[in-house]
Amino acid sequence: MGFMVAAVSPSGAEEQPVMTLEQCIESALSANAKVVVADEKLIEKEAAIKEAATGFLPKLSGSGSVSVLLEAPSMIMEIPMMPVQKIQTSARDNYSVSASFTQPLFAGGKIVNGYRIAEQARCVSEWQLKAARKDVTRDVTQAYYTVTAARKSLVALDTSIALLEQIVKDLKNAVEVGMRGEHELLQAEVQLQNQKMVRQQAANGVTAARGRLAVLIGKSINEPVNVTDSIVEPVSFDLPELESLIGKIGTEMPELKQMDHQLRILELSAKIAGSAYWPMLFTAAGFSGQVIGIDDREFQDSWSLSLALKWDIFDWGAALQKKKQMLSQARQLNTTKEEITKNMELAVKTGYLAVKDAFDNIAITRKSIEQSRRAYDITYDKFGQGVVPNSELMTAQSTMLQSEIAYYKSLSDYYSKRADIEYLFSSK
């Protein structure tokens, strides 16, 4: 059996450390592109909050200029009875500086609501990050058990092929002494070739499943990922009651929590649109100065302090229509949220029942293995005695193989469907 497990693994995989499910999830959460992007998006929204906060603070700006002319400006003065005179009117080089200081005092709620929108956008990103982590956890869990179940099925196929090869060998001996017909040997050889073909397809499936798991945990698709060979059968069905899970839909689902914050953003956007009806009040201080004179240069400056009021008295209803757009989008989103909530309730109920069916199916397939193995042993003994035909032995052998594959598939289905349910309510 150990030899057959080694034959399943791609070359070089044995050199890799065996990874548990928890280690695969931890690796994925630190390297998966979806999580990394969601984490960067949160950093972006944090910066947006700080940017919005600057709207409350005064702004200081300044400018300066230097101009140098090729020739100093001058004018020609002609006075009767006197020679023509050329008088320089200003210096060739001119210098000036200015600075302004502006502080908003009242903006009709535009600044404060803009800051609140930035905070709500950060909350949306936080839930998006949680959703990304939960997506990755679910996907890795499902891929992990797909690999494990596929490897187990491959071992079952190898065991079955070994049994068939022994049967073919026994039949060859029986045909040589005239105890069995050649057609029985041909039937067994055909079934052996068919199972070898299935085994090749299953091996390709294992390779594909390992490649998907590798990508999910941040590795190259060609980089081998070695996982444990154990797939533990659940002892009991330990999910909470269905009613309890349905009651958590509105409080723990990232999709719905994101919508709550998006609704708040639309409400605040409507308030910003309505702020156009209010005047903007701000105070400003200014300074300007320049160098004047031709021969005796001196710096001349001036200062100013003002209180300004800006009010858009008539805008042809632009602000009103903008506000109506925001309120309409909020109603649309709220209707969508209600529909998603209903669909989530159905998904939870369907998923819960699917997990329960998968759990019950494990016991059925396990019992099927026991019965099919016992049936094969009995049939093989009778075949050796010449009591049953070869076709009946082939059927018993094929049934035993299918029952083992069905058992491992039922385990994988259980953990995959359970991951779907746990995804909905995980707090990661």
Side-chain angles (χ1 to χ4, degrees):
M1 185 69 71
F3 170 76
M4 288 185 287
V5 172
V8 172
S9 303
S11 175
E14 294 78 10
E15 300 177 1
Q16 300 294 323
V18 176
M19 298 183 69
T20 63
L21 173 60
E22 290 72 21
Q23 289 172 330
C24 288
I25 292 175
E26 182 180 355
S27 176
L29 292 178
S30 61
N32 187 272
K34 183 184 292 187
V35 176
V36 172
V37 170
D39 198 29
E40 287 295 331
K41 181 64 69 173
L42 184 58
I43 295 175
E44 174 191 336
K45 298 306 179 183
E46 291 283 357
I49 290 178
K50 294 179 180 179
E51 178 188 6
T54 62
F56 298 104
L57 304 176
K59 301 294 187 297
L60 179 63
S61 60
S63 64
S65 66
V66 177
S67 60
V68 179
L69 304 177
L70 294 177
E71 183 179 352
S74 61
M75 60 177 296
I76 303 298
M77 180 174 290
E78 297 181 358
I79 301 177
M81 308 301 296
M82 295 185 64
V84 177
Q85 295 184 356
K86 184 177 182 180
I87 302 174
Q88 182 176 345
T89 57
S90 65
R92 287 185 57 216
D93 52 345
N94 296 281
Y95 306 89
S96 65
V97 295
S98 64
S100 62
F101 176 92
T102 307
Q103 171 65 60
L105 300 178
F106 179 75
K110 181 181 296 185
I111 298 175
V112 66
N113 287 322
Y115 180 80
R116 290 169 180 170
I117 286 177
E119 288 184 320
Q120 294 298 316
R122 178 189 60 186
C123 292
V124 171
S125 294
E126 288 175 348
W127 283 105
Q128 288 175 341
L129 176 59
K130 290 181 181 180
R133 292 174 63 88
K134 290 168 71 171
D135 283 343
V136 170
T137 300
R138 177 194 57 188
D139 293 345
V140 170
T141 300
Q142 292 176 342
Y144 181 90
Y145 283 111
T146 298
V147 172
T148 306
R151 285 166 59 103
K152 286 288 189 180
S153 297
L154 208 53
V155 171
L157 278 164
D158 286 334
T159 304
S160 178
I161 290 172
L163 291 175
L164 269 176
E165 288 174 341
Q166 182 60 46
I167 292 173
V168 170
K169 181 179 179 181
D170 293 342
L171 280 172
K172 285 182 179 179
N173 295 331
V175 169
E176 289 176 358
V177 298
M179 294 180 61
R180 294 283 179 179
E182 186 176 359
H183 68 283
E184 293 183 281
L185 175 60
L186 292 174
Q187 288 177 349
E189 288 178 336
V190 169
Q191 184 157 332
L192 176 60
Q193 293 304 316
N194 287 338
Q195 289 199 8
K196 286 183 177 180
M197 181 177 63
V198 172
R199 197 267 179 203
Q200 179 61 40
Q201 295 172 345
N204 292 337
V206 170
T207 301
R210 289 170 67 120
R212 169 167 168 73
L213 180 60
V215 171
L216 285 172
I217 64 177
K219 296 181 179 292
S220 167
I221 191 173
N222 296 319
E223 188 173 353
V225 179
N226 199 16
V227 301
T228 178
D229 266 335
S230 63
I231 180 168
V232 181
E233 181 177 327
V235 178
S236 61
F237 185 76
D238 55 355
L239 282 180
E241 293 295 329
L242 178 58
E243 292 74 14
S244 174
L245 294 178
I246 292 178
K248 295 180 180 180
I249 289 178
T251 60
E252 298 187 25
M253 285 191 172
E255 295 84 356
L256 298 179
K257 299 302 292 185
Q258 290 178 53
M259 286 187 171
D260 288 339
H261 293 292
Q262 289 168 350
L263 281 169
R264 181 59 178 157
I265 288 175
L266 290 173
E267 292 172 359
L268 293 170
S269 298
K271 290 183 178 181
I272 289 178
S275 66
Y277 296 114
W278 295 90
M280 292 187 62
L281 180 65
F282 57 92
T283 183
F287 165 79
S288 63
Q290 61 180 349
V291 176
I292 62 174
I294 299 176
D295 297 324
D296 298 327
R297 310 295 298 276
E298 65 174 317
F299 183 78
Q300 187 179 67
D301 58 10
S302 64
W303 296 82
S304 64
L305 179 63
S306 61
L307 183 65
L309 179 70
K310 180 183 178 181
W311 197 347
D312 295 332
I313 299 176
F314 184 69
D315 62 356
W316 299 96
L320 176 62
Q321 300 308 318
K322 183 68 174 178
K323 184 175 182 179
K324 286 183 176 180
Q325 293 177 48
M326 298 298 103
L327 294 177
S328 177
Q329 290 179 22
R331 291 192 297 270
Q332 294 173 44
L333 185 58
N334 196 51
T335 301
T336 302
K337 179 187 174 185
E338 292 174 358
E339 183 66 19
I340 290 178
T341 302
K342 294 177 182 177
N343 292 332
M344 285 290 188
E345 291 176 356
L346 178 60
V348 170
K349 185 174 182 179
T350 303
Y352 184 90
L353 295 176
V355 175
K356 186 67 171 62
D357 289 342
F359 177 79
D360 294 338
N361 197 41
I362 292 173
I364 296 173
T365 54
R366 183 182 64 250
K367 185 66 175 178
S368 177
I369 288 179
E370 298 171 358
Q371 293 173 339
S372 63
R373 286 176 178 174
R374 179 59 180 160
Y376 175 80
D377 291 339
I378 294 174
T379 305
Y380 187 82
D381 291 340
K382 291 183 178 181
F383 171 77
Q385 298 169 10
V387 178
V388 298
N390 172 65
S391 59
E392 190 171 333
L393 178 62
M394 294 297 97
T395 300
Q397 189 272 342
S398 178
T399 301
M400 181 175 64
L401 171 62
Q402 295 302 322
S403 64
E404 291 184 11
I405 293 177
Y407 173 69
Y408 296 125
K409 185 177 184 303
S410 67
L411 287 174
S412 177
D413 286 346
Y414 169 78
Y415 285 111
S416 177
K417 290 178 171 60
R418 185 184 178 99
D420 283 330
I421 285 292
E422 290 178 343
Y423 159 80
L424 297 174
F425 307 104
S426 172
S427 59
K428 293 182 179 181

